[in-house]
Amino acid sequence: WKGAMLAHQELIGPMGTLDLRRAVGQHASAVGLRLEGGLCAAMLAAIEDEPGAMPLLQHTLLQLWQRRRGAWLTAQAYQALGGVQLAIAETAEAVYQDSAAISGEQDRLRDLFIRLTQLDEVSTGERKPRDSRRCVRFSELVPFGIDPDLIRRMVTKLANARLVVTHANRANGEQEVEVAHEAVIRHWPRLRAWLDEGRLAIGFREGVRQAAKEWSGARCPEHLLLHRGERLRIVRELGERQQHPFNRGEQEYIDACTAAQEAERQQKEQQQQREREHAIELAAALSRALTAARIAQSRQLAMHSAVAGKFDPLLALLLAQQAVAQHPTVEALSQALHVLSGTIESAIVQGHGGAVLSCAWNPVDDLWVTTSVDQTARIWDRQGQPIAVLRGHHDAVLAAQWSPDGQQILT
């Protein structure tokens, strides 16, 4: 059947100027109408380079018929229309003004014509944008939360005024709508103003439309939720202003982007919370480790203090003091009390001619040595009585150290 159709198919090209002139004259004569001289030539010249020339001419002839003078279609009426291009614009403006009687109708009509326009994305300041018409599914023309019947009645009204045309999609049967004539977009001043004033916002909504179609067409995967951060904030504010409302598919896409971004924010906060908790745990573990180290050091100092107490009570007291300072363990406190409860011998020694710089106990006998800035080292007994003076230094003696057997001194 398809082959038979293709075999008997004949392509018919567009009508030329002569064919159009003959068709206009014959149809006018068939209903008893006559055209003033030069009127047909003026109309044909106006649509010569115009896309959609046939429906545009048809609309102009309808307007002239409505303004006929008896059986005559006049050049005066044609001039009053503003020519072929402005005739369609005048019709669009009249429909827009009539819509004022219905609340919100003009805003919905504005949004519908904007959606039916494909913006020129490569326009520059050197030339005016060449926006064009496009075919749009009816479902895309219905703003979210608006009764589809309101939009359907408005589309029917525009179709009756021959401003839009509708047809069913061959693939899915869904109704599609498009502007009937490019001249509506090019020559209707009000629509041009809407497009020029809202070009940036319309561009943002167009980005949402394309992203939403791709997202829904791929069964709504999360990786196709492209609007995040600043882009999402801008389009959400655009939707809140209701100047360029989103349809259901676009709104669902924006809601999904918002939910995905909120989920990412919560995941990020949870990750940060986990990191904070981990840091706190590490700090606590480090604190416990440091405390354990101080406790071990305190106990070690307490043990050294106990050993030193057998031959050097002063050293034992110093070690016990350091043990308590490291950590007040039971061992450190007990050793400090033990040292303090015992007898700590003291002695005042005299003989150095300057400040004493160091002191060292003999590990074997009850002797100790001091060094001084007076260039001497002196040996004393336990009671502080001088035993010997070591001379021969040429500068202050900074320190002295006994040999392990207590028989020699290194200064």
Side-chain angles (χ1 to χ4, degrees), residues 116-397:
L116 292 176
T117 302
Q118 178 66 52
L119 295 183
D120 181 6
E121 298 180 355
V122 296
S123 62
T124 65
E126 299 177 356
R127 67 172 178 84
K128 294 182 179 180
R130 297 176 181 175
D131 303 326
S132 57
R133 60 179 177 170
R134 67 179 176 187
C135 187
V136 179
R137 294 180 302 173
F138 174 80
S139 59
E140 293 186 45
L141 299 175
V142 182
F144 181 70
I146 298 297
D147 185 357
D149 288 338
L150 292 176
I151 307 302
R152 187 172 288 106
R153 286 194 293 269
M154 186 171 65
V155 169
T156 301
K157 180 179 179 180
L158 295 174
N160 292 337
R162 306 195 179 190
L163 293 174
V164 303
V165 293
T166 63
H167 55 83
N169 184 288
R170 294 183 178 181
N172 53 29
E174 185 175 359
Q175 186 183 35
E176 295 180 337
V177 184
E178 64 179 323
V179 175
H181 316 287
E182 294 278 354
V184 177
I185 299 172
R186 294 187 180 185
H187 302 293
W188 184 19
R190 188 178 298 276
L191 178 55
R192 293 283 353 133
W194 289 338
L195 295 173
D196 292 339
E197 292 171 1
R199 190 164 294 270
L200 182 60
I202 296 170
F204 274 112
R205 187 174 69 173
E206 178 64 17
V208 172
R209 186 185 78 88
Q210 295 177 0
K213 289 182 68 173
E214 184 177 1
W215 173 69
S216 61
R219 298 186 179 181
C220 309
E222 186 172 349
H223 71 274
L224 289 180
L225 297 174
L226 306 180
H227 284 71
R228 306 290 175 92
E230 185 67 13
R231 290 180 65 196
L232 180 58
R233 184 191 66 79
I234 291 174
V235 298
R236 289 181 62 183
E237 289 183 357
L238 180 66
E240 291 171 359
R241 289 200 296 266
Q242 291 297 315
Q243 192 173 11
H244 301 282
F246 296 110
N247 58 39
R248 176 177 293 278
E250 294 163 350
Q251 189 61 51
E252 290 177 351
Y253 168 80
I254 293 173
D255 292 343
C257 288
T258 302
Q261 180 171 279
E262 178 62 19
E264 290 179 355
R265 185 191 64 80
Q266 293 181 359
Q267 291 177 359
K268 185 176 181 180
E269 287 185 354
Q270 292 172 358
Q271 178 63 26
Q272 291 175 344
Q273 180 63 27
R274 287 192 295 268
E275 291 176 355
R276 284 194 295 268
E277 293 174 353
H278 184 59
I280 292 173
E281 291 176 358
L282 287 177
L286 180 59
S287 177
R288 289 193 297 269
L290 291 175
T291 300
R294 293 174 69 89
I295 289 174
Q297 191 172 12
S298 174
R299 289 172 176 169
Q300 188 175 24
L301 288 170
M303 181 183 66
H304 290 322
S305 174
V307 174
K310 298 177 181 179
F311 60 89
D312 192 342
L314 288 176
L315 179 58
L317 179 61
L318 292 174
L319 291 171
Q321 182 184 10
Q322 287 297 315
V324 174
Q326 283 293 324
H327 198 278
T329 60
V330 174
E331 295 84 351
L333 293 173
S334 298
Q335 179 60 24
L337 290 174
H338 175 73
V339 173
L340 291 173
S341 63
T343 300
I344 301 176
E345 298 182 10
S346 63
I348 299 176
V349 296
Q350 297 180 348
H352 281 294
V356 177
L357 299 179
S358 70
C359 172
W361 286 93
N362 187 304
V364 178
D365 298 327
D366 292 336
L367 300 176
W368 48 296
V369 63
T370 58
T371 64
S372 173
V373 297
D374 63 2
Q375 301 181 4
T376 66
R378 297 174 181 263
I379 300 175
W380 314 82
D381 63 12
R382 193 177 193 85
Q383 286 72 37
Q385 297 301 316
I387 302 299
V389 178
L390 306 179
R391 304 180 188 278
H393 301 91
H394 300 291
D395 203 345
V397 183

Side-chain angles (χ1 to χ4, degrees), residues 101-119:
I102 304 175
S103 176
E105 183 81 355
Q106 288 185 329
D107 291 337
R108 291 190 289 271
L109 188 144
R110 172 183 182 274
D111 183 62
L112 184 141
F113 271 107
I114 290 176
R115 282 194 176 273
L116 292 176
T117 302
Q118 178 66 52
L119 295 183

